[in-house]
Amino acid sequence: MDYQVMELEQQTEQLDERVIEIARVAKVVQGGRRFQFRVTVVIGDNHGQVGVGVGKANAVPEAMRKATDRARKNMHPVHLSGTTIPHQSIGKVGGSIILLKPASPGTGVIAAGGVRAVLEAAGVRDILTKSLGSSNVLNSVQATMQALDALKSPQEEAARRGKPVEELLPFWERRKKNG
């Protein structure tokens, strides 16, 4: 029993946890407004696992705890190709559209706000992004997760197309191999 507890503690220590947004939201009731706090948290292991959670409560610490728990339960694997993503991907949620493009090594994460937090927690080190449409933080984070979920591994896609994996690699990877 103690071994399982230690294993869980080690797993939680390795996770990268980032608070993306703390928003005060209101519900209009008969006597006026009821205020709550909505917290958006992203958790990742920096090696291809990432999750987003949203928590709402009357106090910020309770909302953060709820968001963290939901993010841990909502972890998704992300297909990476070295330090970038294997191919271009688009995610759409509400009015937010997020475009993710692979980038050559040394480019860095060209993104802002919540999109950057999600990509860095997932372990992406080189990527180009563009936010098209709404700049709503919650929707752009969810659109980024949707775009990451849509990624396919080069091996799966090559097998589906009946081509060698080398043909599906980004041009800078092919250039290295060909000299």
Side-chain angles (χ1 to χ4, degrees), residues 114-178:
V115 178
R116 172 181 283 271
V118 171
L119 293 170
E120 286 180 348
V124 180
R125 296 286 164 256
D126 301 302
I127 192 165
L128 303 170
T129 66
K130 180 67 183 164
S131 175
L132 311 162
S134 171
S135 61
N136 180 302
V137 176
L138 189 56
N139 284 348
S140 61
V141 165
Q142 289 176 340
T144 304
M145 284 298 292
Q146 189 184 66
L148 289 174
D149 286 341
L151 293 174
K152 297 178 183 137
S153 75
Q155 292 78 15
E156 287 175 19
E157 192 61 18
R160 190 182 71 79
R161 293 186 197 179
K163 291 186 171 186
V165 177
E166 288 76 36
E167 284 186 33
L168 300 182
L169 293 176
F171 71 89
W172 56 86
E173 293 291 331
R174 289 193 302 258
R175 192 179 295 154
K176 278 185 204 171
K177 290 186 177 176
N178 295 338

Side-chain angles (χ1 to χ4, degrees), residues 1-13:
M1 191 68 180
D2 292 332
Y3 176 72
Q4 289 176 336
V5 172
M6 283 177 51
E7 192 175 288
L8 273 173
E9 287 174 6
Q10 288 175 351
Q11 187 180 4
T12 57
E13 287 174 15

Side-chain angles (χ1 to χ4, degrees), residues 42-97:
V42 65
I43 291 180
D45 66 354
N46 294 322
H47 297 291
Q49 289 272 349
V50 68
V52 171
V54 179
K56 194 189 290 185
N58 291 329
V60 175
E62 182 66 14
M64 286 182 77
R65 188 193 58 75
K66 286 182 181 180
T68 303
D69 292 346
R70 288 183 183 140
R72 285 184 202 284
K73 289 178 186 171
N74 192 24
M75 296 280 276
H76 294 278
V78 175
H79 293 290
L80 298 177
S81 178
T83 60
T84 187
I85 56 176
H87 57 84
Q88 183 172 312
S89 181
I90 295 177
K92 299 176 186 176
V93 172
S96 282
I97 303 166

